[in-house]
Amino acid sequence: MPLDVVETLADLVRIPSVNPMGRNVTGEIYYEHRVTDYLESLFRQLSLPFERHAVAPLRENIIVRVEGSTPPEKGGPVLMFEAHQDTVPVDGMEIDPFAADIEDGRLFGRGACDIKGGMAAMLAALVRVADERPASRPTIILACTVNEEHGFTGATHWADTYMGRKGLKSKLLARSPDATIVAEPTELNVVVAHKGACRWRCHTGGLAAHSSQPERGDNAFYHMARVLTVLEQYARDVVPHLKQHPLVGHPTLSVGLISGGISVNTVPDRCTIEIDRRVLPGEDPDAAFTHAVTHLNSFVTTGTPIIHDKPFMLTKGLNNDHNVPLAERLGQAIQHHAPNAGEQIGVPFGTDAPHYAATGSPTVVFGPGSIAQAHTKDEWIDLNQLKTASEILYDLVRHWDE
């Protein structure tokens, strides 16, 4: 049965799949399991083989397969599509995040742009391939993963599955795909390179005391102020000059969260910050962490107690050293439908893509929508771009062996 890409996107947006982003929250809108159930129901209606892989409570990857002309078990090619099921939180949104309202050729709602639009485009193309069965088509694997927005654990789990690490196995795919396309809003251009990230928590300690006698305590905030001054200088004067990449520019460092203290009349004995260090393609996130810690420890004055936790995120960037032929092939399909798009670009944000590229599968990032609309208070996607993206993906499959 044909799948209407706009109706499918509206269905997906109406199903909350909010990532709690590490916060201690509860409610009906959180986690991806409702979207996973919707996808399972769809795949059952289409009589397509699928698997669900538990990653965490209420969080499962779901993978579906559409057979190619020659099965991969007999040497046939495999093309993988990937889209994440989760969205960022809805705090501060000025529209109904789950209404999927349509106005002036745009569909509004949380996830419409990032990345349920890309998922809908992939689903519509996948169903069309299953219906029309074009000659010389590759086997298509669509992986819909969890927790992209706060740790990439779904992508890591699936990459481990088809690489056979940690004892994980998939009956739908026993080897790395010949090519992988990850859905993200790229305005129908092809992302061949992007940054990765190293994130960690840094703490300063002190001694609690009553604020009426602060001299009896040791204020952890004041220690953190010295840390922040050094980090500001490091981020401004050192990090941007460490390396350069022709498509994504220079690395960056930013402090995004700070917490500490229990009351205004208590001298705080602990302060915590979270640090985000964006790494270039080919740059080692572990080495970036070590460099930052070494610099900080060498410049902060003696007597400031600093503790660095191990990074809670270490993800490499996407390198353009093995994916250019795939980008060119996809670019040709794009040109037939969107002559002003299809450019090979680099972007500063991260995606699931490096986890698939690490398995040896040439991987690019592609999808409808603009990153400028992602995560916004009135998130939306252009429906013409949505429809075009689905046509592009179908044509890529249809002409795979040409």
Side-chain angles (χ1 to χ4, degrees), residues 249-266:
H250 58 75
T252 59
L253 183 140
S254 175
V255 178
L257 285 173
I258 186 167
S259 61
I262 59 172
S263 67
V264 70
N265 60 343
T266 302

Side-chain angles (χ1 to χ4, degrees), residues 229-247:
T229 297
V230 172
L231 285 176
E232 181 183 18
Q233 174 272 332
Y234 179 68
R236 182 187 63 237
D237 299 333
V238 178
V239 176
H241 305 289
L242 292 174
K243 293 184 178 181
Q244 289 283 323
H245 187 279
L247 291 178

Side-chain angles (χ1 to χ4, degrees), residues 49-359:
F50 68 90
E51 295 175 345
R52 292 176 68 147
H53 295 264
V55 178
L58 303 179
R59 316 189 86 168
E60 292 180 87
N61 294 339
I62 185 166
I63 294 90
V64 66
R65 172 166 160 165
V66 172
E67 295 296 336
S69 304
T70 302
E73 293 80 6
K74 295 183 179 180
V78 177
L79 172 62
M80 189 170 102
F81 296 157
E82 194 262 17
H84 62 87
Q85 301 178 55
D86 58 320
T87 72
V88 294
V90 299
D91 309 50
M93 290 195 74
E94 296 180 353
I95 61 171
D96 184 334
F98 310 120
D101 290 330
I102 295 175
E103 184 178 345
D104 296 329
R106 298 173 175 178
L107 189 147
F108 292 80
R110 180 55 85 221
C113 177
D114 185 8
I115 187 52
K116 292 180 177 181
M119 180 186 291
M122 288 180 166
L123 285 166
L126 182 91
V127 171
R128 189 174 174 189
V129 171
D131 283 347
E132 299 183 9
R133 304 177 65 82
S136 302
R137 67 192 180 280
T139 292
I140 308 297
I141 297 288
L142 170 62
C144 298
T145 59
V146 298
N147 195 33
E148 188 269 353
E149 297 289 359
H150 191 67
F152 308 106
T153 54
T156 302
H157 188 280
W158 177 230
D160 285 345
T161 297
Y162 67 65
M163 287 299 290
R165 296 189 291 248
K166 300 182 180 179
L168 302 172
K169 294 182 180 179
S170 169
K171 294 180 180 179
L172 297 185
L173 183 62
R175 63 174 174 83
S176 179
D178 298 283
T180 300
I181 299 174
V182 171
E184 289 291 345
T186 69
E187 298 186 274
L188 304 183
N189 291 308
V190 185
V191 172
V192 295
H194 67 62
K195 293 179 181 178
C198 172
R199 294 175 183 162
W200 73 98
R201 296 180 182 90
C202 171
H203 314 273
T204 52
L207 178 66
H210 196 283
S211 63
S212 65
Q213 296 177 301
E215 69 279 2
R216 293 189 173 219
D218 183 20
N219 196 313
F221 287 7
Y222 298 158
H223 291 308
M224 186 59 77
R226 290 186 278 274
V227 170
L228 290 170
T229 297
V230 172
L231 285 176
E232 181 183 18
Q233 174 272 332
Y234 179 68
R236 182 187 63 237
D237 299 333
V238 178
V239 176
H241 305 289
L242 292 174
K243 293 184 178 181
Q244 289 283 323
H245 187 279
L247 291 178
V248 303
H250 58 75
T252 59
L253 183 140
S254 175
V255 178
L257 285 173
I258 186 167
S259 61
I262 59 172
S263 67
V264 70
N265 60 343
T266 302
V267 173
D269 62 358
R270 191 170 180 86
C271 185
T272 299
I273 59 173
E274 293 192 13
I275 304 168
D276 179 296
R277 168 67 157 85
R278 297 294 169 130
V279 299
L280 301 184
E283 189 179 8
D284 182 359
D286 270 316
F289 168 70
T290 300
H291 190 277
V293 170
T294 301
H295 180 95
L296 182 60
N297 290 344
S298 64
F299 279 87
V300 174
T301 56
T302 302
T304 295
I306 306 173
I307 299 172
H308 294 275
D309 290 350
K310 290 183 179 180
F312 61 85
M313 177 186 288
L314 286 170
T315 179
K316 295 182 178 180
L318 178 65
N319 213 332
N320 58 327
D321 51 355
H322 292 106
N323 60 8
V324 171
L326 172 60
E328 292 175 347
R329 174 180 282 194
L330 178 56
Q332 291 173 0
I334 294 169
Q335 286 290 304
H336 288 302
H337 297 275
N340 295 323
E343 181 183 358
Q344 294 181 29
I345 62 172
V347 295
F349 57 85
T351 77
D352 282 337
H355 301 282
Y356 304 111
T359 70

